[in-house]
Amino acid sequence: MTAITTMAAHTHDCPDCLSETRLVHLADNIHVVQILHDDTCPTYQRIEGD
C-alpha cells in the first residue's frame, strides 16, 4: 500500500462519527475502501434505514 493510496482512503472518514477507514485488498490491483461507523452514527443509520 502506498502513501498516496493510504491518504486517499483516509479522506473518506465519516464526518458524523469516529469511524475507522480500511483499505481492503480483494485481488491484484483491486481494493475497496471500507468505512466502519460507530453505533450512534446518524449517517450509518440513514444508510441502513433505521
Side-chain angles (χ1 to χ4, degrees), residues 32-50:
V32 294
V33 175
Q34 180 182 40
I35 301 173
L36 304 169
H37 299 269
D38 60 31
D39 293 336
T40 61
C41 179
T43 298
Y44 180 69
Q45 291 173 0
R46 279 193 306 273
I47 291 168
E48 291 297 308
D50 293 342

Side-chain angles (χ1 to χ4, degrees), residues 5 8-10 12-13 21-24 31-35:
T5 305
H10 182 64
H12 288 87
D13 285 343
T21 304
R22 296 181 184 164
L23 191 61
V24 180
H31 298 81
V32 294
V33 175
Q34 180 182 40
I35 301 173

Side-chain angles (χ1 to χ4, degrees), residues 2-9:
T2 66
I4 293 172
T5 305
T6 303
M7 186 170 55

